[in-house]
């Protein structure tokens, strides 16, 4: 009766939505007029994750095509020795590998994964456009060296925000408490891995060939266009995404675990069936953590 008062048109064609999830963009948008065409936009699941897989395929094409032939360009065009070129590429690869750690912290603590992917995509595109211009005649020869490496590190910054968030954002589209979605989540990871391998493979073959047989400007311009396509695909799926708000720094939560464990080191776990605090005060615990309460387990006893 309470539900019928709150949602007066809850029939078999209309689905109840939890308030908290609805505020966070999880669930369904429900029409409130019985005579209108029902507006039911399902969020999450394959409807949203298929866009995210498309984004990652394009991004892997971009990164593999951009990074794979750098030593050839640095030696043949910029005139550096092979050892110097390898040093430059190794340093850049190291920075691009470490920056996702920072990107993950920023996404979890402040921006959220959707905003981090969006901002890093713009940075990514900016770096690729500058990289394309750096190999063209528009940039004087004496400045090409510096513009080229400045652009490369812009690409690394974009990769640092993009890489740690996209896969996790895709996994968040499936709710493990629903058996069908839990099963679909496993399938998602299979297609995800197939997508990143396919994108990298095509990027290496196509971009390498264009760079060595057509021209470096087109060879770097094609990844820039592919990254623009990735951003368009990501935005097209925005109305279907399940978004989660940032929950603060993960390091703070890790430290809290150790502090709580130390302070409670002398407490004994109840063996007489008395429930845990979270089970007695599930509403308070849920509102305090703004997250899902995990079921008790003996795995780490």
């Amino acid at each position: 009766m309470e539900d019928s008062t709150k949602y007066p048109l809850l029939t078999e064609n209309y689905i109840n939505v939890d308030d908290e999830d609805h505020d966070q963009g999880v669930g369904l948008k429900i029409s409130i007029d019985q005579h209108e065409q029902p507006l039911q936009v399902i969020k999450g699941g394959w409807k949203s994750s298929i866009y995210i897989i498309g984004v990652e395929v394009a991004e892997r094409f971009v990164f593999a095509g951009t990074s794979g032939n750098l030593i050839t360009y640095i030696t043949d065009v910029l005139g550096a020795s092979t050892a110097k070129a390898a040093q430059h590429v190794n340093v850049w690869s190291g920075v691009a590998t470490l920056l996702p750690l920072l990107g993950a912290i920023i996404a979890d603590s402040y921006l959220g994964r959707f905003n981090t992917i969006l901002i890093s995509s713009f940075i990514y595109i900016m770096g690729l456009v500058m990289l394309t211009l750096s190999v063209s005649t528009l940039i004087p020869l004496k400045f090409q060296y510096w513009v080229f490496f400045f652009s490369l590190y812009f690409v690394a910054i974009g990769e640092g925000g993009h890489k740690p968030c996209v896969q996790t954002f895709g996994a968040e589209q499936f709710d493990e408490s629903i058996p069908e979605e839990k099963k679909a989540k496993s399938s998602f990871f299979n297609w995800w891995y197939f997508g990143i391998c396919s994108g990298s493979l095509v990027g290496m073959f196509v971009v390498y060939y264009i760079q060595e047989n057509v021209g470096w400007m087109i060879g770097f311009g094609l990844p820039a266009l592919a990254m623009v396509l990735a951003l368009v695909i990501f935005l097209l799926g925005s109305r279907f995404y399940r978004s989660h708000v940032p929950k603060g720094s993960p390091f703070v939560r890790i430290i809290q675990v150790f502090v709580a464990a130390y302070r409670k080191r002398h407490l004994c776990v109840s063996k007489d069936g008395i429930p845990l605090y979270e089970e007695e005060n599930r509403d308070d615990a849920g509102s305090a953590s703004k997250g899902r309460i995990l079921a008790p387990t003996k795995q780490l006893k």
Side-chain angles (χ1 to χ4, degrees), residues 188-210:
F188 163 77
F189 284 115
N190 293 334
W191 283 105
W192 174 272
Y193 190 74
F194 175 78
I196 62 176
C197 292
S198 301
S200 300
L201 183 66
V202 174
M204 286 188 289
F205 276 104
V206 173
V207 178
Y208 287 12
Y209 179 84
I210 292 175

Side-chain angles (χ1 to χ4, degrees), residues 57-68:
V57 171
E59 192 276 332
R60 286 294 91 190
F61 172 89
V62 170
F63 192 78
T66 302
S67 61

Side-chain angles (χ1 to χ4, degrees), residues 34-105:
Q34 189 175 8
H35 301 290
E36 293 178 359
Q37 182 178 359
L39 175 62
Q40 297 186 356
V41 181
I42 302 176
K43 295 195 173 186
W46 277 112
K47 179 166 286 193
S48 59
S49 60
I50 194 68
Y51 291 96
I52 300 173
I53 292 177
V55 169
E56 188 64 11
V57 171
E59 192 276 332
R60 286 294 91 190
F61 172 89
V62 170
F63 192 78
T66 302
S67 61
N69 216 16
L70 291 177
I71 291 181
T72 302
Y73 179 82
I74 295 173
T75 53
D76 292 355
V77 179
L78 297 182
S81 64
T82 303
K84 194 69 174 177
Q87 180 184 0
H88 281 305
V89 174
N90 287 336
V91 171
W92 176 79
S93 298
V95 172
T97 302
L98 291 175
L99 279 177
L101 296 175
L102 178 61
I105 294 173

Side-chain angles (χ1 to χ4, degrees), residues 11-209:
T11 65
E12 60 181 0
N13 295 324
Y14 295 88
I15 303 175
N16 196 357
V17 180
D18 182 78
D19 286 346
E20 183 177 352
D21 290 341
H22 183 65
D23 293 338
Q24 295 179 6
V26 182
L28 305 177
K29 290 183 179 178
I30 302 177
S31 173
I32 60 173
D33 188 348
Q34 189 175 8
H35 301 290
E36 293 178 359
Q37 182 178 359
L39 175 62
Q40 297 186 356
V41 181
I42 302 176
K43 295 195 173 186
W46 277 112
K47 179 166 286 193
S48 59
S49 60
I50 194 68
Y51 291 96
I52 300 173
I53 292 177
V55 169
E56 188 64 11
V57 171
E59 192 276 332
R60 286 294 91 190
F61 172 89
V62 170
F63 192 78
T66 302
S67 61
N69 216 16
L70 291 177
I71 291 181
T72 302
Y73 179 82
I74 295 173
T75 53
D76 292 355
V77 179
L78 297 182
S81 64
T82 303
K84 194 69 174 177
Q87 180 184 0
H88 281 305
V89 174
N90 287 336
V91 171
W92 176 79
S93 298
V95 172
T97 302
L98 291 175
L99 279 177
L101 296 175
L102 178 61
I105 294 173
I106 293 175
D108 290 339
S109 304
Y110 305 107
L111 297 179
R113 293 185 179 91
F114 179 87
N115 291 330
T116 303
I117 295 171
L118 189 62
I119 294 172
S120 62
S121 296
F122 282 109
I123 297 174
Y124 216 139
I125 293 171
M126 189 183 305
L128 291 168
V129 170
M130 290 191 299
L131 191 65
T132 304
L133 294 177
S134 72
V135 302
S136 69
T137 56
L138 299 175
I139 304 296
L141 187 60
K142 61 181 179 179
F143 296 124
Q144 283 187 2
Y145 182 90
W146 298 107
V147 175
F148 177 79
F149 284 104
F150 182 77
S151 305
L152 270 184
Y153 282 96
F154 246 76
V155 172
I157 294 173
E159 169 77 358
H162 208 274
K163 189 173 183 179
C165 295
V166 179
Q167 184 176 11
T168 309
F169 190 64
E172 286 179 347
Q173 305 307 308
F174 300 92
D175 187 352
E176 289 194 348
S177 63
I178 303 174
E180 293 80 6
E181 291 199 13
K182 184 177 182 179
K183 183 178 179 180
K185 187 175 183 178
S186 299
S187 180
F188 163 77
F189 284 115
N190 293 334
W191 283 105
W192 174 272
Y193 190 74
F194 175 78
I196 62 176
C197 292
S198 301
S200 300
L201 183 66
V202 174
M204 286 188 289
F205 276 104
V206 173
V207 178
Y208 287 12
Y209 179 84

Side-chain angles (χ1 to χ4, degrees), residues 146-296:
W146 298 107
V147 175
F148 177 79
F149 284 104
F150 182 77
S151 305
L152 270 184
Y153 282 96
F154 246 76
V155 172
I157 294 173
E159 169 77 358
H162 208 274
K163 189 173 183 179
C165 295
V166 179
Q167 184 176 11
T168 309
F169 190 64
E172 286 179 347
Q173 305 307 308
F174 300 92
D175 187 352
E176 289 194 348
S177 63
I178 303 174
E180 293 80 6
E181 291 199 13
K182 184 177 182 179
K183 183 178 179 180
K185 187 175 183 178
S186 299
S187 180
F188 163 77
F189 284 115
N190 293 334
W191 283 105
W192 174 272
Y193 190 74
F194 175 78
I196 62 176
C197 292
S198 301
S200 300
L201 183 66
V202 174
M204 286 188 289
F205 276 104
V206 173
V207 178
Y208 287 12
Y209 179 84
I210 292 175
Q211 289 174 345
E212 295 184 358
N213 296 278
V214 180
W216 288 101
M217 186 174 179
I218 298 177
F220 285 121
L222 183 60
L225 292 176
M227 196 62 212
V228 172
L229 176 62
L231 178 59
V232 171
I233 294 173
F234 182 68
L235 292 176
L236 285 175
S238 60
R239 66 194 297 256
F240 302 117
Y241 296 143
R242 290 175 177 170
S243 299
H244 299 269
V245 297
K247 297 180 180 179
S249 173
F251 292 107
V252 173
R253 298 200 298 274
I254 292 173
I255 294 173
Q256 287 174 339
V257 170
F258 285 102
V259 171
Y262 177 79
R263 293 176 60 184
K264 300 178 180 181
R265 65 191 184 278
H266 297 303
L267 297 180
C268 296
V269 179
S270 174
K271 297 181 180 179
D272 55 3
I274 298 177
L276 301 174
Y277 171 81
E278 288 82 359
E279 294 177 340
E280 287 183 323
N281 305 274
R282 183 168 293 271
D283 294 336
D284 294 339
S287 62
S289 62
K290 295 297 183 183
R292 181 164 55 97
I293 299 175
L294 299 178

